[in-house]
Amino acid sequence: MDENDSSSSKDFGKNILPKMLQNNQRMFAYGFEGYWKDVGAIKSLWQANMDILNKEASLNINDPNWKIYFRSPAEPPHYVGNSAKVSDSIITEGCYINGEVNLSVIFRSVEIEKTAFVDHSIIMPGAYIKKGAVVKYAIVAEDAIIEENAIVGGDPKDYSTDEDWGIAVIGKGVTVKSGQVVKPNEIIECSL
Amino acid sequence: MNAMGVLFSNIHDEELRDLTKNRTTASIPYGGRYRLIDFILSSLVNASIFNVAIITKTNYNSLMDHLETGSEWDLNRKNGGLSIFPPFACNSLKTVYRGKLEALIGIRKFLENSKEEYIVLSDCNTICSLDLNDVIDRHIESSADITVVYHSSKNVCEQDLLLKLDKNEWAYDVSIAIKEDLVPSNIGLGIYVIKRDLLVRVVEDAYTHGYIDFERDFLQRNANSIRIYGYENKGYSNAINSVKDYYKANMDLLNSVVRKELFYNNGRIYTKVKDTVPAKYGVNATVKNSIIADGTVIEGNVENSIIFRGVKIAEGASVKNSIIMQSTVIEKDAQLDYIITDKNVLITQGHKLTGVESYPMVIAKDSVV
């Protein structure tokens, strides 16, 4: 029916459900009470990851009766070095962590060197954060390299308005050069 | 590769008593997420050897549970794949075997009916990532009767196989160490390459003469009549013959060179996947120089330790120089130093346990302290 309507944008919420309602079709509601999040934007992807760390967010990924299955790389357990300081974060296999990690989600095979600082960020598989780099409120995609002393993102409390601040994003395979500054809200899609 | 593997899961059970009470040597947990057998199994499949027989003896439930269908090692196959032989599978001796030669007599028909030209024989107590293609190539080039994989070390343990080699790596003397010693030696790693039809003849001869022990009754007895070639494994290797060795081999993983040699240089090490979530660090966690597996929850202090999957370390608890196996729970303010906790141990609040480096204390599986 919707197929023949050329003015329809073919959207469930906008077109199909209202049309069914109009036609008095039998529609039932099912009340879902668990955690849910529509991850359709950078901010909500970041928020959904932060929710894993938030005890009040009612998202439990470690429920033995409701396992979440995924593809497993054959990586050894992660190593945390003598200079590391890790708090309130999750870290998985294949990582080498020797810097400071706070309130962050670290995917597999990530390397974070001594004196690097990662805060409120999501670091995806294979990313490499070198000495002295600072990554705050950011999403660093697969295999990206943040060179020594580079700065990515910033803390919202250092910015007065919402327009100035947002999650910084470093794209897949991008290298952020030594000393380079990536501002909050910036999305870097290719290496400079 | 035109070769198959034959593994002995229970050789060395005796020496590792504390850890093999309920399991085979092959299924001793190691390095946060592995079992000892994972290393040789991965080395075999990384060399495209996909016909693997495992001869078990006692306590093999944990091993069966670990291996399942062999799919984690790509060994769930119609041709070849994994064949597990319980001790009485086809045993004309009507007793449990006493040594590797006797164990091989039990699978004589399987060996005869296999198609591969070469066999890799191995115990399961050696941790190394070995390029078996290179070992087999060198075996063929040298036209040796048998190739013995060895490493050079000055730490000799009781019962180690010692090789004296000439400058071309041919063994002219094979001996078995009577006691611990500190002399530079070529120590066999329990890994051999031999032609399948030769092994079948050796096994037949063992049956007719009542030979039991592979090293003594075959290698040593024939040291002057067969060509024994030594292949040196130059990467990391550690043959585990005691709780002390086991402790050291785990602690070796804190060295980045060892991790690289084991986990990356010769292909990956595969193990049973459990779909566990990443490790979670609490607000006040402090972790230094440690290996941390997935599924752990760390709220306390961890230093120089190996933490397996699903371990929980509460706030105020301190774990130093220790190996904490799967699903151990360490409650608030407990303190562990030089301790090995087996699986599912519970250390209750405030308790303090201390071992020493040369004799780490083992807390048995499912214990409550």
Side-chain angles (χ1 to χ4, degrees):
Chain A
M1 188 173 58
D2 191 69
E3 184 72 41
N4 302 326
D5 180 357
S6 60
S7 67
S8 167
S9 54
K10 317 284 184 219
D11 188 274
F12 255 94
K14 235 157 79 186
N15 309 105
I16 295 173
L17 296 182
K19 227 167 254 173
M20 288 177 76
L21 204 61
Q22 260 171 27
N23 294 341
N24 287 322
Q25 277 174 289
R26 287 161 62 81
M27 285 170 68
F28 291 88
Y30 176 89
F32 175 69
E33 296 191 338
Y35 172 93
W36 72 281
K37 187 156 205 84
D38 180 355
V39 179
I42 297 286
K43 182 86 188 284
S44 52
L45 171 64
W46 175 81
Q47 190 60 54
N49 276 278
M50 289 301 128
D51 284 347
I52 297 172
L53 307 174
N54 183 354
K55 284 198 181 85
E56 278 138 42
S58 78
L59 168 61
N60 181 12
I61 54 170
N62 196 10
D63 181 353
N65 298 316
W66 197 266
K67 259 196 163 180
I68 313 291
Y69 300 100
F70 52 89
R71 198 180 72 163
S72 177
E75 288 283 348
H78 68 270
Y79 172 79
V80 178
N82 273 318
S83 310
K85 198 173 161 219
V86 182
S87 57
D88 231 351
S89 297
I90 62 170
I91 300 180
T92 189
E93 288 160 351
C95 291
Y96 170 92
I97 310 290
N98 208 12
E100 189 174 344
V101 179
N102 182 47
L103 270 157
S104 294
V105 173
I106 313 293
F107 284 70
R108 69 176 172 84
S109 309
V110 166
E111 200 164 328
I112 300 176
E113 286 186 348
K114 212 161 143 176
T115 68
F117 179 40
V118 175
D119 182 36
H120 282 85
S121 295
I122 303 164
I123 313 293
M124 292 188 178
Y128 183 8
I129 313 223
K130 295 192 180 174
K131 286 188 192 96
V134 175
V135 178
K136 286 184 173 183
Y137 293 83
I139 297 175
V140 176
E142 297 99 313
D143 303 318
I145 299 171
I146 314 296
E147 299 268 17
E148 287 177 26
N149 303 316
I151 296 174
V152 175
D155 196 319
K157 66 174 187 285
D158 299 334
Y159 295 82
S160 49
T161 63
D162 269 4
E163 280 130 61
D164 295 339
W165 183 83
I167 301 301
V169 179
I170 306 300
K172 188 174 172 179
V174 167
T175 300
V176 176
K177 285 206 184 108
S178 178
Q180 194 183 331
V181 176
V182 176
K183 289 199 197 107
N185 244 345
E186 262 191 280
I187 297 179
I188 307 293
E189 284 173 279
C190 49
S191 311
L192 289 176
Chain B
M1 187 43 82
N2 189 9
M4 58 186 280
V6 175
L7 308 181
F8 303 93
S9 67
N10 294 65
I11 303 296
H12 305 287
D13 279 6
E14 278 295 303
E15 302 100 280
L16 288 157
R17 238 162 302 164
D18 281 329
L19 298 167
T20 53
K21 219 174 276 170
N22 303 301
R23 59 169 76 92
T24 61
T25 297
S27 49
I28 292 176
Y30 168 80
R33 71 188 295 247
Y34 302 98
R35 305 278 184 153
L36 293 189
I37 195 172
D38 294 340
F39 291 88
I40 186 67
L41 264 189
S42 300
S43 294
L44 287 166
V45 298
N46 284 337
S48 306
I49 296 171
F50 294 111
N51 180 14
V52 179
I54 300 175
I55 309 180
T56 64
K57 193 172 189 177
T58 49
N59 281 334
Y60 50 88
N61 184 42
S62 63
L63 183 64
M64 306 283 278
D65 178 53
H66 180 65
L67 297 171
E68 290 179 329
T69 60
S71 59
E72 303 290 2
W73 297 268
D74 198 12
L75 286 172
N76 52 336
R77 283 164 182 257
K78 289 194 175 182
N79 294 310
L82 206 57
S83 311
I84 298 176
F85 292 93
F88 293 102
C90 36
N91 184 334
S92 56
L93 299 165
K94 308 286 180 228
T95 57
V96 176
Y97 63 83
R98 290 163 291 177
K100 285 190 272 188
L101 272 183
E102 255 187 0
L104 289 168
I105 293 168
I107 66 158
R108 186 169 59 95
K109 281 275 174 277
F110 174 80
L111 296 177
E112 268 176 21
N113 295 337
S114 293
K115 305 271 184 301
E116 289 81 358
E117 196 174 355
Y118 297 94
I119 291 186
V120 177
L121 284 175
S122 180
D123 301 347
C124 291
N125 67 321
T126 297
I127 293 166
C128 67
S129 181
L130 189 62
D131 181 356
L132 280 169
N133 279 328
D134 192 47
V135 182
I136 294 166
D137 284 347
R138 295 262 293 275
H139 175 81
I140 295 169
E141 274 165 31
S142 67
S143 62
D145 291 312
I146 185 164
T147 293
V148 182
V149 180
Y150 73 92
H151 70 173
S152 300
S153 166
K154 59 174 178 18
N155 292 312
V156 176
C157 298
E158 190 188 327
Q159 291 189 27
D160 272 348
L161 182 83
L162 306 176
L163 300 172
K164 286 208 170 79
L165 302 167
D166 68 16
K167 63 179 190 323
N168 296 318
E169 302 281 58
W170 291 104
Y172 59 89
D173 184 58
V174 176
S175 60
I176 286 157
I178 189 167
K179 58 177 168 43
E180 279 186 33
D181 212 345
L182 287 172
V183 279
S185 308
N186 302 319
I187 303 171
L189 294 173
I191 302 169
Y192 306 100
V193 174
I194 187 169
K195 254 194 176 161
R196 185 174 54 84
D197 57 12
L198 174 58
L199 185 69
V200 169
R201 273 184 282 135
V202 169
V203 168
E204 285 169 352
D205 185 53
Y207 183 77
T208 50
H209 290 91
Y211 296 151
I212 297 165
D213 192 285
F214 186 79
E215 281 80 7
R216 280 195 184 285
D217 296 329
F218 170 62
L219 273 186
Q220 214 174 13
R221 199 183 283 265
N222 299 299
N224 295 319
S225 56
I226 59 170
R227 289 158 62 83
I228 303 173
Y229 182 73
Y231 178 97
E232 184 178 7
N233 175 44
K234 293 198 170 88
Y236 178 81
S237 54
N238 197 332
I240 295 180
N241 292 311
S242 64
V243 172
K244 200 172 132 191
D245 289 346
Y246 173 78
Y247 178 81
K248 190 183 173 294
N250 273 279
M251 291 304 152
D252 283 346
L253 289 179
L254 299 177
N255 178 334
S256 61
V257 176
V258 171
R259 287 199 302 277
K260 191 163 173 287
E261 286 181 354
L262 268 186
F263 297 123
Y264 299 104
N265 280 6
N266 286 318
R268 296 304 169 96
I269 303 298
Y270 301 95
T271 188
K272 185 176 172 181
V273 167
K274 295 200 169 154
D275 294 285
T276 27
V277 296
K280 185 163 190 339
Y281 290 75
V283 185
N284 297 317
T286 55
V287 178
K288 303 266 178 227
N289 193 36
S290 294
I291 294 284
I292 314 285
D294 277 1
T296 54
V297 179
I298 301 177
E299 310 270 1
N301 308 325
V302 178
E303 215 179 307
N304 308 330
S305 295
I306 311 292
I307 311 294
F308 281 68
R309 291 187 276 206
V311 168
K312 289 190 172 62
I313 299 172
E315 210 164 313
S318 156
V319 175
K320 283 184 183 165
N321 310 307
S322 295
I323 299 165
I324 309 297
M325 287 191 210
Q326 203 182 311
S327 304
T328 293
V329 175
I330 298 170
E331 291 187 347
K332 236 178 136 191
D333 302 324
Q335 287 180 38
L336 307 185
D337 198 4
Y338 293 109
I339 299 293
I340 299 171
T341 65
D342 207 318
K343 285 172 74 178
N344 295 317
V345 166
L346 171 63
I347 311 288
T348 55
Q349 195 168 333
H351 282 94
K352 202 171 167 177
L353 299 173
T354 311
V356 285
E357 187 172 5
S358 59
Y359 199 91
M361 195 198 294
V362 180
I363 313 288
K365 192 177 168 184
D366 302 321
S367 307
V368 176
V369 178

